Amino acid sequence: FYCPPELDQSIRDGNHIPPGWNINRVSISFNSTAEEGTSGGYYDENGNAIENLDLSTGTTFTVTDDEKTGDKVITFTYPDSTVKKVYVKPGEGSEIKTFTPPASPIEANCEFNTTFGVKTYNVSLASAEGSIGTGKYYNGETEISSIRVPNNTAVTAEKIDDKTVQINFDNVALITAKADEGSVIEEFAAPESPIKSDCTFSAKFMKEIHTVTFDAQGHGTAPDAQSVNYGESAQKPEDPSEEGYTFGGWYTEKECQNEFDFATPIKADTTLYAKWTINTYTVTFDVQGHGTAPDAQTVNYSDKAQRPADPSEEGYRFDGWYQESACENEFDFDTPIKADTTLYAKLIFFKSTNW
């Protein structure tokens, strides 16, 4: 069996075995395999490559990962508390794919087995800062939030339409970024190609913007159109106005059958139609105490009143309809009616010549 020089000399000098030493020795083999184009190995604390290690039975070990380098660190603790470290190091562009240690504590000859393969990196698939819309990433039909790709993988991206971007990780996968209903992809940022580190692909998902147009249907001045994010509400504009008409609200069709609720989420370009009711006015006939007054007339704005039959009363002669009770300005029945109107009869008294 193997005997360390200090123990061998102690025995030759006739001394007892030093405390902490166990003459039962075992050998550890450090084995590795590497995929094509990759490399890696085992190294001592001085950076020297090692293939095996002799130590005492009862030695324990722990394995930790170095997050910065990707190495595994095997820490052996001998029965006398001596500590020795062995490093499992991947070569450039490589990483540890599998690592199989023996049982601890070590009681017999054994081996560590490591497989080295092409180093892979994590590509996060994210929504870009400033996104107010939503979207997802898919590998085929499966929704994903990240993907691992080998070192030096080329990546390209193409915007197919407002809602779709395809990301091609060469010889790995074709990933699709899709905006949800009501959202679009405004822009995207792909990582530098080829990929040589963990990185992020981001798409800026924004809400669709729809136009709400106001059609005044030929009356008054139409309010300005509004740009509204998908799912949000339009703002009710100031009521339009026109002389002779009463505004009756905004409707979803020209015939004004269904009034629009401004709390409704906008999900498409929308045109709203103004409802108008023409004003009506009353034309009243005042005979000023003589004869029977004609019936009042209801007249639409700007239409004309109809001349009624002349009133009559014995001893008086009817002399027309006037705009005021003093009968100074005779009314023209071709005048458009634009307000409630009272017309006054002018009756002239005359003496009868009948005896």
Side-chain angles (χ1 to χ4, degrees), residues 121 123 149-155 169 191-197 199:
Y121 296 105
V123 181
V149 300
N151 181 52
N152 281 325
T153 295
V155 57
F169 294 99
E192 186 176 352
S193 180
I195 293 172
K196 296 183 177 181
S197 62
C199 55

Side-chain angles (χ1 to χ4, degrees), residues 15 81 106 136 144 157 192 197 203 211 219 221 247 253 268 272 275 297 314 330 334:
N15 297 326
S81 299
I106 296 171
K136 300 177 180 68
I144 61 173
E192 186 176 352
S197 62
T211 301
H219 299 287
T221 301
F247 174 71
E253 62 285 301
L272 300 178
K275 180 178 181 179
Q297 297 179 18
E314 185 178 355
E330 188 170 2
D334 284 330

Side-chain angles (χ1 to χ4, degrees), residues 193-248:
S193 180
I195 293 172
K196 296 183 177 181
S197 62
D198 291 341
C199 55
T200 299
F201 181 98
S202 62
K204 191 172 186 178
F205 297 103
M206 303 299 289
K207 289 186 177 181
E208 291 176 356
I209 297 177
H210 294 290
T211 301
V212 177
T213 304
F214 300 92
D215 185 340
Q217 303 213 77
H219 299 287
T221 301
D224 292 336
Q226 297 179 16
S227 296
V228 182
N229 288 335
Y230 177 92
E232 297 181 6
S233 301
Q235 300 298 310
K236 186 175 182 180
E238 185 175 335
D239 291 347
S241 62
E242 182 169 283
E243 183 181 358
Y245 291 82
T246 297
F247 174 71

